[in-house]
Amino acid sequence: MIKIEIDNGHGIKSLKGSPDGRLKEWKYAREIAREVVKRLKAEGYDAELLVPEDADISLGERCNRVNAVCDRLGTKNVCLVSIHCNAAPPDDGRWHNARGWEAWTSVGQTQGDKLADCLYDAAERVLRPLIPDLRLRVDTTDGDRDKESNFAILRWSKCPACLTENLFQDNREDVEWLLSLCGRDAVVRLHVEGIKAYVGKYGKK
Ligand SMILES: [Zn+2]
């Protein structure tokens, strides 16, 4: 069975969030992450929160935690999803117009790309009916949809890893939607379904 590690990004000291302060990324991502883990476990999957604390746990420590699990179980038997909300550059704490959902993996063709693929499919399936003008933000220049970056959590983790940016916390409409019951449920569901698809395809349940 593939062990699923869910990271919730920033900690309590992070100022990232909506300009009106209604959505705080560290808190929102924790609520989503907790629910994702709960639902996966309820369906018999081996999922856990990488950062159960509210504190800002360094990227180095988070990667150490993931890699300790990888060393114990084997890297292909572990996957990591890090949950975030996006902000338009320059991330200046003001409202902007960018919208959409995207996922990031480390640079190069890796198993993380397969995980991202499952998450993109789930985002399309779950979000599209609710957000008809949904923009799935992709980079297809390397033959797949995910965007690639040297984000530490993706680069240092030994197992397949993917970071999701769930709409924009500096877009008024996105924030309204993210905070709604329907929005929260959809963000949870897209992760649960995407991860289940990945585990079903590449591991034994
Ligand atoms: Zn973030």
Side-chain angles (χ1 to χ4, degrees):
M1 187 194 283
I2 292 182
K3 174 120 192 159
I4 304 147
E5 294 290 335
I6 304 290
D7 175 48
N8 42 28
H10 320 274
I12 192 165
K13 288 194 182 142
S14 167
L15 300 174
K16 289 169 179 282
S18 62
D20 60 6
R22 289 168 66 213
L23 189 156
K24 294 191 181 358
E25 186 180 1
W26 75 270
K27 190 160 176 278
Y28 186 80
R30 268 171 183 65
E31 289 161 3
I32 298 293
R34 256 183 234 128
E35 190 61 27
V36 169
V37 168
K38 197 173 125 195
R39 288 197 204 175
L40 283 169
K41 280 170 117 171
E43 293 193 48
Y45 290 84
D46 185 8
E48 77 175 356
L49 278 180
L50 185 64
V51 181
E53 309 95 323
D54 283 348
D56 293 70
I57 303 299
S58 72
L59 284 162
E61 167 60 18
R62 281 187 260 159
C63 293
N64 284 343
R65 289 180 186 181
V66 177
N67 291 338
V69 177
C70 293
D71 290 345
R72 212 171 64 232
L73 303 178
T75 52
K76 67 174 194 316
N77 300 319
V78 184
C79 72
L80 168 73
V81 177
S82 184
I83 299 173
H84 292 250
C85 293
N86 220 338
D91 196 359
D92 56 4
R94 298 185 188 173
W95 294 110
H96 292 280
N97 295 320
R99 301 192 73 178
W101 187 93
E102 68 192 21
W104 293 80
T105 64
S106 60
V107 176
Q109 293 301 315
T110 63
Q111 186 68 12
D113 295 352
K114 309 250 166 46
L115 175 57
D117 232 17
C118 293
L119 286 160
Y120 267 101
D121 285 345
E124 173 69 35
R125 219 166 40 239
V126 173
L127 300 185
R128 178 75 64 196
L130 302 167
I131 310 175
D133 60 347
L134 172 75
R135 180 158 167 239
L136 286 182
R137 302 164 63 93
V138 297
D139 169 12
T140 51
T141 53
D142 59 347
D144 54 36
R145 289 172 290 182
D146 58 82
K147 297 183 162 193
E148 301 194 337
S149 136
N150 276 321
F151 289 144
I153 193 85
L154 301 176
R155 193 174 75 235
W156 294 342
S157 295
K158 294 180 186 169
C159 63
C162 182
L163 184 151
T164 61
E165 294 279 14
N166 298 280
L167 310 190
F168 281 74
Q169 58 196 3
D170 56 7
N171 178 290
R172 286 178 199 275
E173 284 174 82
D174 278 4
V175 168
E176 208 58 55
W177 189 86
L178 285 167
L179 292 174
S180 70
L181 278 182
C182 155
R184 283 175 192 269
D185 178 68
V187 176
V188 170
R189 243 178 331 120
L190 89 83
H191 287 90
V192 170
E193 287 191 17
I195 291 165
K196 278 169 64 179
Y198 177 80
V199 173
K201 232 168 163 174
Y202 300 102
K204 280 170 248 133
K205 191 187 158 188

